[in-house]
Amino acid sequence: MTVILVLGLLFLLLAIGTPVGFAMGFAGSVGLLMVGGTGTLFGILQTAPLSTVSSYELITIPMFLLMADLVLLSGVADDMFKTASAWIGRVPGGLGMATALAGAGFGAICGTSTASAATLSSTSLPAMIKQGYEPKMAAGVVAISGTLAMLIPPSVALVIFGLLAEVNIGQLLIGGILPAVLVTATIMATIYFLVWQDPSRAPRVEPVSWREKFSLLWQVGPMVLLFSLVTGTIYLGIATPTEASALGAAGALLLAVAKRRVTPATLYRALLSACHGTCMIVTILVGASIFGYFFTLTHVTQDLVAWVGSLPTSRWVIIALILFGYIVLGSFMDQIAILVLTVPIVLPLIKTLGFDPIWFGVIKIVTAEVGMITPPVGLNCFIVARYAKRPVAEVFHGTFPHFIAHLIAIAILVAFPSIILWLPSQMGR
């Protein structure tokens, strides 16, 4: 009964708009008071915040956020879209495919889905609309392409999962590379299929000379170098994820300086934005830690693992139900909130069923991408609608084919775990 009351309080606080960190911290405190009294409550409140924020790996988050803000400042997303559209613009749906490639490239040096969606909305979407693309299709492509930043390193979502699950963050980040390639190819294949069905959805663009194509390649060179600086050093074992995040932030600063975009005012805004994002995430992690202590004292996780372990069904059925639950949750809640709420509960179950936590972490993030475009709350769709000044229903309609295609991609990743686990197994060799 206590667990039900505390969970009810938590969801009530979330429903009335209480920030996730404060809602979890308050509900967890009430639960600790009910279960263990004031001694237990004050003992945990005195130790949990410090033990949560003192993790060395936590430095990765502000560095990746700062890197994302500095990359936004440099304006490189426009360069990536121009280069991709020059090379594949003549293919049916070429500008849409260029948007997917730009989303993947921007995600490789950004790490946050919302920033990627907002940037693509202001760069590639106007270009597609101007070319005569069907508005709902163009908006759907931008919304789904923005989600790639959640999967491609440096992914803040994967870092948070690694901190919560206490697994190797470097392996998690590297494990997201091949699934990101698969998902990007899935988006491009979906675009091609839609244009094959109805060519009027995406008129072809004017051809670009080979000389101009190769000249545009030089513009994306710094982004490739920055990606290599972060991901390559992690993969080769030269740097830890924390060290690589600092290198990435420094590289992004140099890139913004080279583009002559850095002024005291813009640098201050980038630093302030990274600080705001870091404080939000740390608050959520502290609240989740307090709430996690309540779950530990009430044995919710242990009882759930024991109950599921006794079910007379396949572990594949259970993993399918878990992933379906994540898609439903993603329709209503922020992805970071879902991570901190569910990982401490679900991960012991995943280990009991014999699944690799690295594999599950990447699968969870791919599933979260689906939640980012699923009504009624699909955040990326609202961001695209706001920046593009398009009806949000039109954006949701445009993402539906990608929703179906993403489910197929998830099924492939579940059926073939080596797609995720092969690169991490080769790290440092």
Side-chain angles (χ1 to χ4, degrees):
M1 180 60 76
T2 302
V3 174
I4 295 174
L5 289 174
V6 172
L7 286 174
L9 174 62
L10 173 62
F11 287 114
L12 174 63
L13 291 171
L14 293 174
I16 63 176
T18 307
V20 176
F22 293 113
M24 295 186 72
F26 181 76
S29 297
V30 171
L32 289 170
L33 185 63
M34 295 172 66
V35 172
T38 56
T40 300
L41 172 62
F42 289 126
I44 289 174
L45 291 181
Q46 287 170 359
T47 58
L50 180 60
S51 63
T52 301
V53 302
S54 61
S55 169
Y56 174 70
E57 289 80 7
L58 193 63
I59 302 172
T60 308
I61 291 176
M63 289 295 99
F64 278 156
L65 291 177
L66 179 59
M67 178 180 166
D69 286 310
L70 291 171
V71 166
L72 282 172
L73 179 61
S74 69
V76 297
D78 196 33
D79 294 339
M80 283 188 288
F81 176 70
K82 287 179 181 177
T83 303
S85 60
W87 278 88
I88 63 172
R90 291 290 293 166
V91 176
L95 284 184
M97 296 181 188
T99 299
L101 291 175
F106 190 67
I109 51 176
C110 174
T112 58
S113 174
T114 51
S116 184
T119 304
L120 291 173
S121 297
S122 60
T123 55
S124 59
L125 184 57
M128 285 190 284
I129 298 295
K130 183 179 178 180
Q131 187 62 32
Y133 270 56
E134 183 182 52
K136 69 178 181 182
M137 175 182 165
V141 170
V142 171
I144 191 64
S145 298
T147 64
L148 289 168
M150 293 184 66
L151 184 60
I152 303 174
S155 165
V156 173
L158 282 172
V159 172
I160 293 173
F161 179 89
L163 291 170
L164 292 168
E166 298 181 351
V167 296
N168 189 298
I169 294 175
Q171 290 185 344
L172 267 174
L173 292 172
I174 297 302
I177 294 177
L178 291 182
V181 173
L182 172 65
V183 172
T184 304
T186 301
I187 295 172
M188 296 174 69
T190 305
I191 295 168
Y192 187 88
F193 175 75
L194 291 172
V195 178
W196 173 77
Q197 273 192 322
D198 184 359
S200 66
R201 287 172 170 159
R204 296 195 183 193
V205 300
E206 293 297 320
V208 178
S209 68
W210 284 102
R211 181 178 180 180
E212 186 176 350
K213 287 180 180 179
F214 283 106
S215 67
L216 285 171
L217 280 180
W218 288 102
Q219 295 185 7
V220 301
M223 283 81 82
V224 174
L225 181 61
L226 186 58
F227 175 74
S228 302
L229 185 67
V230 176
T231 307
T233 53
I234 295 174
Y235 180 76
L236 295 174
I238 298 172
T240 65
T242 306
E243 294 163 347
S245 67
L247 288 172
L253 177 60
L254 292 176
L255 180 61
V257 170
K259 292 276 188 178
R260 298 181 179 180
R261 299 290 187 93
V262 176
T263 65
T266 56
L267 182 59
Y268 172 76
R269 284 197 295 270
L271 290 168
L272 187 63
S273 176
C275 287
H276 284 167
T278 303
C279 290
M280 177 196 72
I281 292 172
V282 167
T283 302
I284 292 174
L285 291 176
V286 171
S289 175
I290 295 170
F291 199 81
Y293 277 110
F294 164 69
F295 265 4
T296 300
L297 289 177
T298 52
H299 302 285
V300 171
T301 304
Q302 299 92 315
D303 293 344
L304 179 63
V305 170
W307 176 71
V308 172
S310 65
L311 291 176
T313 187
S314 166
R315 64 175 188 156
W316 297 105
V317 174
I318 296 173
I319 196 70
L321 291 173
I322 290 173
L323 295 178
F324 175 75
Y326 272 127
I327 293 175
V328 173
L329 282 175
S331 304
F332 295 93
M333 295 177 63
D334 176 75
Q335 295 302 329
I336 294 179
I338 294 172
L339 278 172
V340 297
L341 274 171
T342 62
V343 169
I345 302 171
V346 173
L347 195 67
L349 176 59
I350 294 298
K351 291 179 179 178
T352 301
L353 293 173
F355 293 110
D356 190 297
I358 300 291
W359 170 84
F360 176 73
V362 175
I363 288 285
K364 160 69 190 86
I365 299 305
V366 178
T367 307
E369 291 180 351
V370 178
M372 297 289 287
I373 61 165
T374 306
V377 177
L379 185 58
N380 269 27
C381 293
F382 282 93
I383 290 173
V384 172
R386 185 181 68 183
Y387 277 84
K389 296 180 172 58
R390 308 294 306 185
V392 69
E394 178 180 277
V395 183
F396 278 124
H397 194 183
T399 59
F400 181 73
H402 298 285
F403 173 85
I404 302 299
H406 254 62
L407 295 182
I408 296 172
I410 291 171
I412 293 172
L413 292 173
V414 170
F416 302 99
S418 58
I419 297 175
I420 296 171
L421 297 175
W422 182 74
L423 274 181
S425 70
Q426 304 299 310
M427 286 178 64
R429 291 189 178 182

